[in-house]
Amino acid sequence: MSIQVKKVSKLYGKQKALDNLSFEISDAEVVGFLGPNGAGKSTMMKIITGFLPQSSGDVFVNGLNVMEHSLEIRKQIGYLPENNPLYLDLYVKEYLEYVAGIYKLGSKKKQRINEMIELTGLGLEQKKKIGALSKGYRQRVGLAQALIHDPKVLILDEPTTGLDPNQLIEVRKLIQTIGKEKTVMLSTHIMQEVEAICERVLIINKGQLVADQASNTIGSIKESYVLDLQFTSPVSKEQFQGIAGITHIQTLTNNRYQISAKADVREQIFQMAVSNQLILIEMKSQERNLESIFHELTQ
Ligand code: ADP
Ligand code: MG
């Protein structure tokens, strides 16, 4: 077992950021750690990596108690913290040499640095200052530093936040490549990301585990369709409620509505408009709404 979290709670003053959380991650699993902002993801990751002590409970990485072996643990874990703090004034290669120095890689140092540059596609950027790189390339530097000591376990805290769509695809590909050989736990608040990269998903909300399942089954969670609609005249709640599956109707300005449903009701909406002589001028599906899924899971 790579990671074992047993009944972990964390208090910041009186606030409970983690509430009796337990889960396990096996060797070479790629697990998504999903939750809304403030759910406790970063806190949990800082505890697993030994950067923050828990208030109660135990965490083991590769069988070692993190609190008791924090130095040894850091050799076995690669960690990309939230917001990827880097030294912007250093050159890419210089920074990786600095990190390699911390891990005392000795004679392997030069070779490892070159391998990381190759793996993360930093060849053309290695002589640039980190501050001059795009966000996507900075994330690659963050991944290179997390991997340089060849850890078995990788903890990536929101590795794709703030990337543009092309960078997103590239960084996801890179994580998938890495995930073939290593245990990866990655946090995100984007559901599609979990479906794209991870085999399994752990969902937390308010410091508690609300789901632990194969990532290709999250789509089956109920109430996961959200539609934005606009008509040329008002629609009554009763008219919407005639459609089976609609669970929530929010009235916005200018005859706009947002509805949540347990099924894809686009056809029924269109037919309802026709039979009531309403003119539908816009219908947009939102990406599955995480908030509504959390709502469903935590009921
Ligand atoms: P996430 O990464 O899921 O967004 P965090 O672990 O950062 O969540 O935060 C969980 C909760 O703990 C939040 O309510 C946050 O405000 C609080 N929190 C996080 N870090 C601190 C801290 N250093 N001091 C006090 N409260 C904190
Ligand atoms: Mg966070």
Side-chain angles (χ1 to χ4, degrees):
M1 202 58 75
S2 278
I3 300 173
Q4 289 167 288
V5 171
K6 297 185 175 174
K7 297 188 174 170
V8 166
S9 293
K10 174 71 187 177
L11 290 161
Y12 290 114
K14 282 185 186 158
Q15 191 197 352
K16 212 168 205 179
L18 297 176
D19 187 1
N20 205 26
L21 204 56
S22 299
F23 58 86
E24 295 190 338
I25 297 180
S26 308
D27 293 347
E29 243 187 324
V30 178
V31 175
F33 196 42
L34 190 69
N37 282 329
K41 302 181 296 296
S42 297
T43 300
M44 189 68 248
M45 291 180 141
K46 284 177 199 162
I47 291 172
I48 293 171
T49 50
F51 282 88
L52 191 73
Q54 64 270 33
S55 306
S56 61
D58 290 301
V59 179
F60 298 87
V61 172
N62 296 333
L64 295 176
N65 187 316
V66 174
M67 276 240 211
E68 290 161 18
H69 300 91
S70 70
L71 285 181
E72 184 53 36
I73 294 294
R74 282 181 207 190
K75 287 186 206 156
Q76 302 192 16
I77 294 187
Y79 177 37
L80 177 66
E82 197 170 24
N83 305 321
N84 186 17
L86 294 169
Y87 295 104
L88 301 183
D89 283 335
L90 293 188
Y91 296 92
V92 171
K93 201 160 183 182
E94 187 186 12
Y95 173 68
L96 294 177
E97 279 165 1
Y98 161 76
V99 178
I102 295 176
Y103 289 111
K104 302 195 172 68
L105 296 186
S107 59
K108 282 184 289 181
K109 183 169 152 179
K110 220 173 156 189
Q111 186 199 337
R112 272 310 282 175
I113 292 170
N114 288 331
E115 282 171 10
M116 287 308 99
I117 287 173
E118 169 85 33
L119 174 71
T120 55
L122 282 165
L124 292 172
E125 319 289 326
Q126 59 180 303
K127 298 204 167 100
K128 290 188 186 167
K129 276 197 177 176
I130 293 172
L133 301 181
S134 68
K135 175 104 194 183
Y137 276 95
R138 287 187 201 182
Q139 288 303 81
R140 290 169 195 238
V141 176
L143 286 167
Q145 69 75 30
L147 283 162
I148 199 149
H149 53 302
D150 199 18
K152 291 199 194 111
V153 178
L154 265 185
I155 306 287
L156 310 175
D157 196 354
E158 307 231 7
T160 60
T161 297
L163 300 183
D164 70 34
N166 287 330
Q167 295 169 339
L168 199 74
I169 292 168
E170 292 294 314
V171 171
R172 280 181 187 167
K173 260 195 216 150
L174 183 55
I175 294 170
Q176 279 170 319
T177 307
I178 296 163
K180 287 186 187 141
E181 292 175 7
K182 300 192 183 291
T183 306
V184 179
M185 178 179 185
L186 102 144
S187 73
T188 175
H189 53 267
I190 309 164
M191 180 151 290
Q192 286 72 18
E193 182 145 293
V194 168
E195 291 173 322
I197 312 179
C198 308
E199 304 145 22
R200 180 176 151 212
V201 58
L202 297 168
I203 304 181
I204 65 165
N205 191 30
K206 299 192 179 119
Q208 295 180 328
L209 195 68
V210 294
D212 176 354
Q213 55 196 78
S215 65
N216 59 10
T217 62
I218 10 179
S220 64
I221 295 167
K222 289 178 283 171
E223 205 189 75
S224 45
Y225 293 85
V226 175
L227 292 173
D228 288 320
L229 309 170
Q230 187 174 19
F231 297 84
T232 55
S233 57
V235 184
S236 69
K237 281 220 158 153
E238 290 69 35
Q239 285 171 320
F240 279 122
Q241 278 158 352
I243 298 170
I246 292 185
T247 50
H248 187 73
I249 303 152
Q250 197 185 353
T251 305
L252 309 168
T253 54
N254 290 331
N255 306 315
R256 287 178 182 275
Y257 302 86
Q258 186 175 81
I259 62 146
S260 307
K262 291 180 183 178
D264 184 358
V265 291
R266 285 175 299 179
E267 245 182 89
Q268 290 87 326
I269 299 260
F270 184 76
Q271 275 159 3
M272 180 277 284
V274 172
S275 56
N276 289 289
Q277 295 189 323
L278 294 162
I279 298 170
L280 177 64
I281 53 173
E282 193 175 309
M283 173 148 66
K284 218 165 55 192
S285 286
Q286 281 206 359
E287 298 199 327
R288 270 203 308 281
N289 183 324
L290 205 51
E291 290 306 321
S292 74
I293 287 176
F294 287 119
H295 180 68
E296 187 79 18
L297 286 169
T298 49
Q299 258 175 1

